[in-house]
Amino acid sequence: MMDNEIQDIINAVLDEIRKQQRDRAQRGERQPQEKSRIAQQTPQDVPAQPQPQSGEPQPPPLSQPSPRRGQPSGGVQPSPRRGQPSGGVQPSGGGDELIIDLEDPATSEARTRPGVDNPYDPDGLRNLMAATTARIGVGRAGPRPRTAALLRFQADHGVTQDAIYSEVDQEVLDRCKLFTVQSQVEDRGTYLLRPDLGRRLSPEARSLIERQCTAKPQVQIVVGDGLSAAAINNNLESILPVIMQGLASAGIAVGTPFFVRFCRVGIINEINDIIGAEVVILLIGERPGLGVADALSAYMGYQPARGKTDGDRDAFCMITDNGGTNPLEAGAYIVEQARKYLKHRASGMELRMKMAREDGKGGMNDGHS
Amino acid sequence: MVLRTRLFNETFEFADLKQLLARANEEKSGDIQAGIAAENASERMAAKHVLAEVPLSALYENPVVPYEQDEVTRIIQDGVNQAIYNSVKQWTVGGLREWLLADTTTGDMIKHVSRGLTAEMIASVTKLMSNLDLMIAARKIRIVAHCANTIGLEGTLASRNQPNHPTDSVEGIRAEVFEGLSFGSGDSVIGINPVDDSLSSVTQLLEMTCDVIQRWEIPTQNCVLAHVTTQVDAISRGAPCGLVFQSIAGSEAANRSFGIDKQMIDEAYEAAQKYCVTPGPNYMYFETGQGSALSADAHHGADQLVLEARAYGFGKRYNPYQVNTVVGFIGPEYLMDAVQITRAGLEDHFMGKLTGVPMGCDACYTNHARATQNDIENLAVLLAAAGCNYFMGVPLGDDPMLSYQCTSFNDAASLRQLLRLRPLPEFEAWLEKIGLMEDGVLTAAAGDASFFLQR
């Protein structure tokens, strides 16, 4: 009998859905328009927020699902649509056609607009939001994100997807006076699925490096595309001169920098088997974050060689003007780190242990506090 | 050893158990990259057909990396309870699958047998299980642990508050902590992945998170996920810390690529018991992920699933408070798309539970994998239904420091609402006390970071 009751409920629900579908079909394909949709949603979705019963349209309780009063453009202007069946809801406004002309939701101004309806401390919330690029202060629709925040997230993902397959600008490489070699990868698709090939130099690359590069410098700089051409295009011309000049003014001999296409971090082992530098610095494009497609990483190691691993290296990530460490500052840090390597003749875990031992003797302080 | 079958009139033969295990794995781009995957679907099915008949004793006697060569193998083999092992060693892998799924087999029975299993057995049975098999079996196994609160209880779902910041800004991280707490995220841990691994930076973040915890009397633990040596250094100098973290992998060589070994984690475990400010007794936090051994060229020709199972065997030695796979973080060269990431998430969660560690999941993806946020929401629902202990909570799922996407603060609240799950009991009581939750539902004051500016 329980089953019968359940079946009755299911039938009732199905009937209701069919009825709604029929009604919708009669009204035509389109949903009721913006303003009226908000009016319909308000009582159910935001019971805590009383709505004015008369007068001009008020700012809606959910922030920005519709135009604000006095907004010059970039809002949604509700107006009746041509050909709409007479049974449809007619929004106010005198126009004849729907005009949707939006401002860019990806601007930093739009991103920092709080989404919480009645924050405990509105100014405090703005300050919290200003302290991070993370998506906080966004509010909620029940347990789910607000519409604007959800769509912005999806837009950022879309843009990042589009950026992944781009290539490093040859003019940037020319201006930085870098020659180009390639790993054993032949195309971008293979690059994504075969990192092992991205860690090996092609035969042509080996001989070009042998011919072009100064052997056994103190520091060798290598640039790689990695997973973001934009990281190189946007940051290389800022960071490379800082590192080159910083090392030079410290009296450190720098080798011949060059660019590796389809590059993975591990390739520095094979490169240094040829060059024999004391320190190798690899500047490489990081895999893009959401909406930040141009972050650069620096991977550094003391005497990289076949068999060396991540534990032997150090990484400095998120070098970008878009919410990370700016390339000038990062360049200075990298120079400092290289000097430390040369002084202690170590990197990675080994460096950490050596410095801890010296620290224990009271010899030196942690340099980067 | 002969490992052979006929399938649709074709003969398939496998050289050894390691090869058989690799060929029987569900399709993963990492195994293809390593050159050990099945050539085609028929070979994969032939391998599963043979694997189902392999007795557990053969897997015990043939670890994928030899005992003499690898300390992870030694930890797992030496940890096996011989009496329990002897009672199940004649079981086949196919038989183990049916026993796990049987209605008469309880979670306690599984936890008992688990002490007689090795990672090779656990990975093998996983290869024979469908996604729903993995969920049904994992759902039975509750691994409960305690630090400042209790994780893993039936009916609960915890959330790691993961307030990462691209430059480790203390103010920025604190703001994100507030946002997460206001959604009810932070009961598993308030755990930061730092950019700067230095002692001073790690100490500063431990102090700030501890200050928030003390000021608001939050029943939870803090953690800064720097290299384990930096954390030990910090806590031995008095930095206030709740959990000690390290990434771990399934072979000694892979662990070495993380800059760790057994001795180092043994020492960290001791230091955690000595210096952590939380009651314990479970003080360790580990992260894993299929493909990590291969990426360090430390996979010894074994597939990424069996190596992942071995990572859990390694972690179990240290009675962790929580372990999670960071399932889609490693990228498409190991898990190509949403199908493979989803599968791996369900596999890892099940294998962790069967090993006996309190298992959560960082359900996530990177921007160069063929996956979207919808796929990760799907995986989180599947795992929550399968009894997963916790997920990550990141502002809208977008981690601005690690450059990947995972589950959000919103998702923690959503999954609890959808599947009628509750925060960890101590944490829920706290949320009620300060007025952010009532009867398991967020109040009107929730979802507002500025709520936490009042103290």
Side-chain angles (χ1 to χ4, degrees), chain A residues 89-210:
Chain A
V89 183
Q90 296 290 327
S92 66
D96 196 33
E97 57 175 338
L98 176 67
I99 299 169
I100 300 175
D101 179 13
L102 301 169
E103 61 178 282
D104 185 349
T107 60
S108 58
E109 196 274 329
R111 285 175 192 276
T112 51
R113 212 173 282 151
V116 182
D117 281 333
N118 294 302
Y120 173 82
D121 178 349
D123 290 338
L125 185 64
R126 281 178 196 279
N127 291 339
L128 291 174
M129 292 177 74
T132 177
T133 50
R135 294 164 200 250
I136 67 166
V138 293
R140 59 196 183 95
R144 303 306 302 152
R146 305 288 297 270
T147 304
L150 177 69
L151 295 182
R152 182 157 36 237
F153 175 100
Q154 291 169 343
D156 286 337
H157 185 245
V159 164
T160 305
Q161 292 288 291
D162 292 344
I164 286 199
Y165 287 86
S166 61
E167 293 287 331
V168 170
D169 189 347
Q170 185 59 45
E171 286 179 15
V172 170
L173 300 178
D174 290 344
R175 283 197 294 271
C176 291
K177 301 191 171 55
L178 302 181
F179 70 92
T180 297
V181 300
Q182 193 161 320
S183 71
Q184 290 185 7
V185 172
E186 298 287 334
D187 59 72
R188 187 65 49 189
T190 311
Y191 176 78
L192 291 178
L193 294 177
R194 292 295 303 272
D196 53 328
L197 298 181
R199 292 186 207 113
R200 303 217 155 56
L201 290 165
S202 68
E204 304 78 45
R206 298 187 69 89
S207 60
L208 203 58
I209 292 169
E210 270 168 26

Side-chain angles (χ1 to χ4, degrees), chain B residues 31 95 163 178 265 327 343 399 442:
Chain B
D31 292 334
F178 289 168
I265 305 301
V327 67
R343 171 72 193 178
D399 190 310
L442 294 178

Side-chain angles (χ1 to χ4, degrees), chain B residues 92-112:
Chain B
T92 62
V93 177
L96 175 59
R97 174 184 169 279
E98 293 190 350
W99 180 81
L100 287 166
L101 296 170
D103 293 326
T104 47
T105 303
T106 65
D108 283 344
M109 290 160 71
I110 296 173
K111 280 196 266 188
H112 176 83

Side-chain angles (χ1 to χ4, degrees), chain A residues 48 116 118-125 127-129 131-146 149-150 153-154 156-157 160-161 164-165 191-196 199-200 227 264 286-292 295 309-312 315-318 323-325 333 349 352-353 356 359 366 368-369, chain B residues 29 33 164-167 169 171-172 175-176 178-179 183 195-200 227 229-230 237 256-259 264 294-296 329-334 336 365-369 371-374 377 395-398 400-405 408 410-411 413-414 417 442-451 453-454:
Chain A
V116 182
N118 294 302
Y120 173 82
D121 178 349
D123 290 338
L125 185 64
N127 291 339
L128 291 174
M129 292 177 74
T132 177
T133 50
R135 294 164 200 250
I136 67 166
V138 293
R140 59 196 183 95
R144 303 306 302 152
R146 305 288 297 270
L150 177 69
F153 175 100
Q154 291 169 343
D156 286 337
H157 185 245
T160 305
Q161 292 288 291
I164 286 199
Y165 287 86
Y191 176 78
L192 291 178
L193 294 177
R194 292 295 303 272
D196 53 328
R199 292 186 207 113
R200 303 217 155 56
L227 285 158
R264 295 273 178 180
E286 280 178 27
R287 61 184 173 197
L290 216 56
V292 183
T309 64
D310 289 343
D312 302 307
F316 185 22
C317 309
M318 272 304 278
T325 304
Y333 175 86
M349 280 310 301
R352 223 164 284 150
M353 286 193 276
D359 210 17
D366 185 6
H368 47 284
S369 52
Chain B
S29 48
Q33 185 200 143
N164 296 340
H165 187 279
T167 58
S169 152
E171 283 68 37
E176 292 174 47
F178 289 168
E179 177 88 357
F183 278 89
V195 180
D196 179 356
D197 202 273
S198 71
L199 176 65
S200 54
H227 193 272
T229 49
T230 314
R237 291 166 193 243
R256 208 178 303 126
S257 84
F258 289 148
M264 192 182 283
L294 176 61
S295 79
F329 186 68
I330 194 161
E333 58 272 37
Y334 303 89
M336 188 175 72
Y365 63 106
T366 61
N367 283 316
H368 58 317
T372 70
Q373 201 68 17
N374 286 336
E377 291 174 4
L396 282 185
D398 168 19
M401 180 266 172
L402 290 173
S403 292
Y404 80 133
Q405 285 91 251
S408 64
N410 296 79
D411 293 346
S414 305
Q417 180 173 322
L442 294 178
T443 65
D448 169 19
S450 72
F451 178 91
L453 295 175
Q454 48 190 308

Side-chain angles (χ1 to χ4, degrees), chain B residues 130-171:
Chain B
S130 77
N131 286 7
L132 194 49
D133 291 356
L134 295 170
M135 293 169 65
I136 290 285
R139 184 70 181 73
K140 296 183 185 185
I141 314 170
R142 306 300 320 195
I143 311 290
V144 179
H146 189 277
C147 189
N149 55 18
T150 320
I151 200 164
L153 292 168
E154 176 73 41
T156 64
L157 177 66
S159 172
R160 167 180 161 192
N161 190 324
Q162 181 176 307
N164 296 340
H165 187 279
T167 58
D168 289 344
S169 152
V170 172
E171 283 68 37

